[in-house]
C-alpha cells in the first residue's frame, strides 16, 4: 500500500496549481477544495490498488468530467475569462490513457476514450487512440464501424471504405460491419442524389465526390500530425491533410458519369459477397433488405431492394423472412396519406393471404406481420377506413 500511496501523491501533486487557481479566482471556496482533494485522493487509491476494475476508472473519469463541467459553469457565472480549461481536459485525457494501459482488454474504456476525444475535437489524439484500439481489438466490429462512420460523416469515403473492408476481413462472425458498410454506401448515394439537384447537375456532384476520394477531410487544422506513433509504427492516415484540387476534362467527366458506383454497384457487391459468408442466413438477408428499403429517395433503391428479394426467393423460398420482405415491398416509400397507398395496401393484403398459405412457418410470419401492422395503426394521421381494414387484418392472422 505504501507504493500505492506514493503513486497517488505523485498524481495528486500535479493538480495543485489548478487548485490554487480555483482558490485565487474564487471559483471554489477552501472547504470545497478540501472536499475535491479528498474525493480525488479516494479515486486515486482505488484505481491504483492491485484489484482495480475498468469500472473504477470509468467512475473516476465521470467524476473529473463533472468537476470540469462545474468549473465551466461557475466561470461563466462569475465572468472569469481566463481559467485553465486545458488543464482539466488534459487531466481527463491522462486518466483515460492510464486506464487503457491498465486495462487494454476493456472495450468500454477504449470507447469512452474515443468519445471524449471526439467531444474535445482532439483529432490527432483520436487517430492514435483509434489505431491502438483496432490493433488491440481487431475482431470487435463496433470499433471498425465507429471508425468507418466517422470518416464517412466527415466526407472521406475513401478512408471509410478502407475501414469497412478491413473490418469485414476481421469480423466474420456476424453481419454488423457488412450492414454498416451497406448503410454507409446508401447514405453516400443519397448525398449524390441530393447534389444532382443543385447548380451544375450530376456532373458537378460526381466531380465533387471524386475530389473527396483523395483522402480530403475537413476536421480542423493540425498540420503537425505524423503517420507514425511514438514507437515508429504506422497509424491511421491523417484526416486533416488536404489534396490539391483535381482538374477534370470532358473525357474524365464522361467516365465518371458512367461510374457504376453511382448506379448502386457497391451496395450490391457488399450484399453479394456477404452471401458467401458463414453468418449469412435469411435473417441477415432481411436486415440488408431493411437497410436498402430505408433510402427511398435514391433512384436506384428499387433495383437494389429487388435484387435482395430475388436472392432471398432463390436461397430461402417461402421462409418467413422472405415472405415478410415480399409483403412489405409494395408499401415501401409510400406515406399513409399518399394517393397510391390504398392501392398498394390492397396488393399487400393479397400478398399476406398468399404468403401465409405457402410459408414454412406461419406462426413466425404472423408474429412479424402483427408487429408491423400495429406500427402502422399507431400512426396518428392514418385514414379511418385504412385503420379499420388493418384492424380486421390483424384479427384474421393465425395465432403466433
Amino acid at each position: 500500500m505504501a507504493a500505492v500511496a506514493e503513486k497517488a501523491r505523485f498524481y495528486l501533486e500535479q493538480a495543485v496549481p489548478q487548485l490554487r487557481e480555483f482558490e485565487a479566482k474564487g471559483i471554489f471556496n477552501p472547504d470545497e477544495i478540501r472536499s475535491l482533494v479528498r474525493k480525488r485522493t479516494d479515486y486515486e487509491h482505488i484505481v491504483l490498488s492491485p484489484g482495480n476494475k475498468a469500472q473504477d476508472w470509468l467512475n473516476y473519469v465521470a467524476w473529473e468530467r463533472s468537476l470540469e463541467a462545474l468549473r465551466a459553469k461557475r466561470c461563466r457565472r462569475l465572468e472569469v475569462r481566463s481559467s485553465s480549461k486545458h488543464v482539466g481536459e488534459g487531466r481527463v485525457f491522462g486518466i483515460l490513457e492510464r486506464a487503457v494501459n491498465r486495462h487494454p482488454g476493456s472495450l468500454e474504456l477504449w470507447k469512452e476514450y474515443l468519445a471524449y476525444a471526439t467531444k474535445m475535437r482532439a483529432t490527432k489524439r483520436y487517430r492514435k487512440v483509434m489505431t491502438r484500439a483496432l490493433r488491440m481489438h481487431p475482431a470487435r466490429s463496433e470499433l471498425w464501424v465507429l471508425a468507418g462512420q466517422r470518416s464517412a460523416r466527415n466526407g472521406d469515403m475513401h478512408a471509410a471504405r478502407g475501414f469497412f473492408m478491413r473490418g469485414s476481413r476481421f469480423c466474420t462472425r456476424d453481419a454488423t460491419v457488412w450492414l454498416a458498410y451497406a448503410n454507409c454506401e446508401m447514405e453516400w448515394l443519397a448525398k449524390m442524389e441530393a447534389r444532382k439537384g443543385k447548380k451544375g447537375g450530376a456532373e458537378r456532384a460526381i466531380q465533387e465526390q471524386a475530389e473527396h476520394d483523395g483522402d480530403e477531410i475537413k476536421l480542423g487544422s493540425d498540420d503537425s500530425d505524423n503517420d507514425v506513433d511514438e514507437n515508429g509504427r504506422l497509424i491511421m492516415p491523417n484526416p486533416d491533410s488536404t489534396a490539391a484540387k483535381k482538374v477534370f476534362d470532358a473525357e474524365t467527366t464522361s467516365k465518371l458519369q458512367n461510374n457504376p458506383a453511382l448506379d448502386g454497384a457497391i451496395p450490391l457487391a457488399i450484399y453479394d459477397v456477404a452471401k458467401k459468408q458463414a453468418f449469412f442466413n435469411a435473417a441477415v438477408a432481411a436486415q440488408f433488405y431493411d437497410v436498402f428499403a430505408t433510402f427511398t429517395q435514391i433512384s436506384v433503391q428499387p433495383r437494389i431492394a429487388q435484387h435482395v428479394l430475388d436472392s432471398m426467393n432463390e436461397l430461402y423460398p417461402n421462409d418467413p423472412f422472405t415472405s415478410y420482405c415480399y409483403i412489405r415491398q409494395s408499401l415501401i416509400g409510400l406515406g399513409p396519406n399518399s394517393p397510391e397507398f390504398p392501392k398498394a395496401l390492397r396488393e399487400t393484403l393479397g400478398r399476406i393471404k398468399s404468403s401465409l398459405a405457402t410459408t414454412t412457418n406461419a406462426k413466425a410470419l404472423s408474429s412479424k406481420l402483427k408487429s408491423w401492422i400495429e406500427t402502422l395503426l399507431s400512426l396518428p394521421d392514418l385514414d379511418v377506413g385504412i385503420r379499420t381494414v388493418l384492424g380486421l387484418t390483424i384479427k384474421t392472422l393465425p395465432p403466433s
Side-chain angles (χ1 to χ4, degrees):
M1 292 301 293
V4 171
E6 289 297 325
K7 290 181 180 179
R9 180 182 292 274
F10 170 77
Y11 290 112
L12 291 170
E13 287 177 352
Q14 295 178 354
V16 171
Q18 187 187 37
L19 295 176
R20 288 176 177 171
E21 180 190 12
F22 289 165
E23 185 176 11
K25 295 183 178 181
I27 301 175
F28 295 97
N29 59 45
D31 291 335
E32 290 175 327
I33 293 176
R34 281 192 290 270
S35 177
L36 294 180
V37 172
R38 284 195 299 268
K39 192 69 173 178
R40 186 173 282 163
T41 303
D42 292 340
Y43 274 119
E44 284 292 346
H45 280 84
I46 291 173
V47 298
L48 291 174
S49 63
N52 68 85
K53 300 178 182 179
Q55 187 59 46
D56 297 331
W57 291 92
L58 290 173
N59 294 338
Y60 191 8
V61 170
W63 182 81
E64 285 288 352
R65 293 183 65 174
S66 65
L67 175 61
E68 178 61 22
L70 179 60
R71 181 205 63 79
K73 285 183 179 180
R74 292 196 176 183
C75 286
R76 287 194 299 267
R77 188 184 67 191
L78 299 174
E79 297 183 355
V80 177
R81 300 188 181 278
S82 59
S83 180
S84 54
K85 174 184 177 183
H86 63 281
V87 176
E89 295 174 356
R91 184 169 183 82
V92 175
F93 276 125
I95 296 171
L96 287 168
E97 182 68 24
R98 292 161 55 196
V100 295
N101 289 333
R102 181 64 179 83
H103 297 280
S106 174
L107 187 63
E108 292 301 320
L109 284 175
W110 287 107
K111 291 167 70 174
E112 178 68 19
Y113 200 168
L114 291 168
Y116 189 70
T118 300
K119 183 177 181 181
M120 296 295 107
R121 300 181 181 180
T123 306
K124 180 178 179 180
R125 184 181 290 265
Y126 180 93
R127 293 191 302 109
K128 292 185 177 181
V129 174
M130 177 58 79
T131 302
R132 292 164 55 196
L134 290 174
R135 286 175 179 160
M136 184 61 62
H137 302 279
R140 300 306 294 265
S141 57
E142 305 98 304
L143 293 177
W144 292 106
V145 171
L146 185 64
Q149 288 178 343
R150 176 184 169 89
S151 296
R153 281 196 305 269
N154 292 290
D156 193 352
M157 281 300 297
H158 180 81
R161 287 166 180 152
F163 283 125
F164 282 121
M165 285 189 285
R166 279 179 282 169
S168 63
R169 290 197 293 268
F170 284 104
C171 307
T172 57
R173 295 184 179 181
D174 56 53
T176 303
V177 176
W178 301 79
L179 291 168
Y181 189 11
N183 186 79
C184 180
E185 289 294 343
M186 294 298 287
E187 290 177 348
W188 177 77
L189 286 175
K191 291 179 182 178
M192 292 297 99
E193 290 279 345
R195 288 178 180 175
K196 287 180 182 179
K198 296 181 180 179
K199 185 177 180 180
E203 179 179 336
R204 180 178 177 85
I206 297 170
Q207 291 181 0
E208 288 178 359
Q209 178 56 32
E211 292 168 7
H212 280 294
D213 282 345
D215 280 352
E216 181 178 7
I217 184 170
K218 299 178 181 178
L219 288 176
S221 58
D222 189 357
D223 296 332
S224 63
D225 292 355
N226 297 316
D227 290 333
V228 294
D229 58 16
E230 59 274 7
N231 297 320
R233 297 175 299 183
L234 290 176
I235 61 175
M236 292 163 52
N238 184 359
D240 297 311
S241 61
T242 56
K245 190 172 182 178
K246 299 178 178 61
V247 178
F248 293 85
D249 54 19
E251 182 181 358
T252 304
T253 301
S254 177
K255 291 180 180 179
L256 288 172
Q257 285 178 339
N258 298 323
N259 187 352
L262 297 177
D263 200 28
I266 298 179
L268 289 174
I270 295 171
Y271 176 77
D272 289 338
V273 176
K275 288 194 300 184
K276 304 175 183 178
Q277 307 304 312
F279 59 76
F280 191 82
N281 52 34
V284 172
Q287 288 179 298
F288 272 102
Y289 185 85
D290 291 338
V291 169
F292 297 144
T294 304
F295 296 88
T296 56
Q297 72 274 27
I298 302 176
S299 58
V300 297
Q301 182 270 341
R303 184 173 62 85
I304 298 175
Q306 185 62 48
H307 176 80
V308 176
L309 190 58
D310 291 342
S311 69
M312 293 178 69
N313 284 321
E314 179 183 354
L315 298 174
Y316 311 103
N318 300 325
D319 187 272
F321 286 100
T322 303
S323 300
Y324 183 52
C325 294
Y326 170 71
I327 290 170
R328 294 180 298 143
Q329 183 186 25
S330 57
L331 291 179
I332 290 178
L334 298 179
N337 295 324
S338 62
E340 299 85 0
F341 191 84
K343 182 179 179 180
L345 180 60
R346 182 163 54 249
E347 182 180 354
T348 298
L349 296 177
R351 293 186 178 189
I352 291 176
K353 184 177 180 180
S354 61
S355 298
L356 286 173
T358 58
T359 184
T360 57
N361 191 336
K363 290 184 178 181
L365 178 58
S366 176
S367 177
K368 297 178 184 299
L369 290 175
K370 285 181 180 179
S371 300
W372 176 58
I373 294 176
E374 287 173 355
T375 302
L376 294 177
L377 290 173
S378 64
L379 298 175
D381 54 348
L382 190 64
D383 182 77
V384 177
I386 295 177
R387 187 181 300 274
T388 303
V389 171
L390 292 176
L392 294 174
T393 302
I394 286 185
K395 295 179 180 179
T396 60
L397 293 176
S400 55

